[in-house]
Amino acid sequence: MKKILFLMMGLALSVAVMANENKQGTACKNAPKNNLTEMVIAHITEHGILTQQELADFTAIYCQLNESKRALNKENRAIKKQLETCTDSNKMVELMQKIANNDLKRAQLDKEALDAYIEKIDASRLVQVLQCSEKYKNELFKNMRLKRTEKCPKAEK
């Protein structure tokens, strides 16, 4: 009887821990594992700049922003592929205008996200978080470039 009670308490504890991890997690919905968005949020979390509530607010805004920007980037890549094979000049102009409009939409998304951040997060901490995010991404891309050049060094001229 004691063993059963002990096992049930252990099971309940493990379920509670798992539920707490899911509730506290900064995972973005519909995001692939180990994507850049999640990596940036994890990095920001490690630095402890934001309170728990601010981090939750930041994460929601950041994930939504990146999901929207990802969709615009995907659309632009598809349009650019169409441009490669397009021969009609009117269609080319139309496609280039779509790309420009998507770039404007992306800039508008950045502005709206900034406004949303300002409503939820103290300005000085927001600056720290955005700088932390940018430094992390720059370092990550720098390391990726270095690894790529180590694997495939350019031919000497």
Side-chain angles (χ1 to χ4, degrees), residues 8 13 16 21 39 42 57 65 79 82 95 107-108 133 150 155:
M8 289 177 65
L13 180 62
E21 285 177 2
M39 292 166 62
D57 292 339
L65 171 67
I79 293 170
Q82 289 178 0
L95 292 172
Q108 183 61 37
S133 165
E150 288 172 1

Side-chain angles (χ1 to χ4, degrees), residues 90-108:
N90 290 334
K91 181 70 174 175
M92 286 178 181
V93 169
E94 180 184 321
L95 292 172
M96 288 187 289
Q97 287 176 339
K98 282 184 181 180
I99 291 172
N101 287 336
N102 283 347
D103 291 343
L104 288 173
K105 286 178 191 175
R106 194 170 34 252
Q108 183 61 37

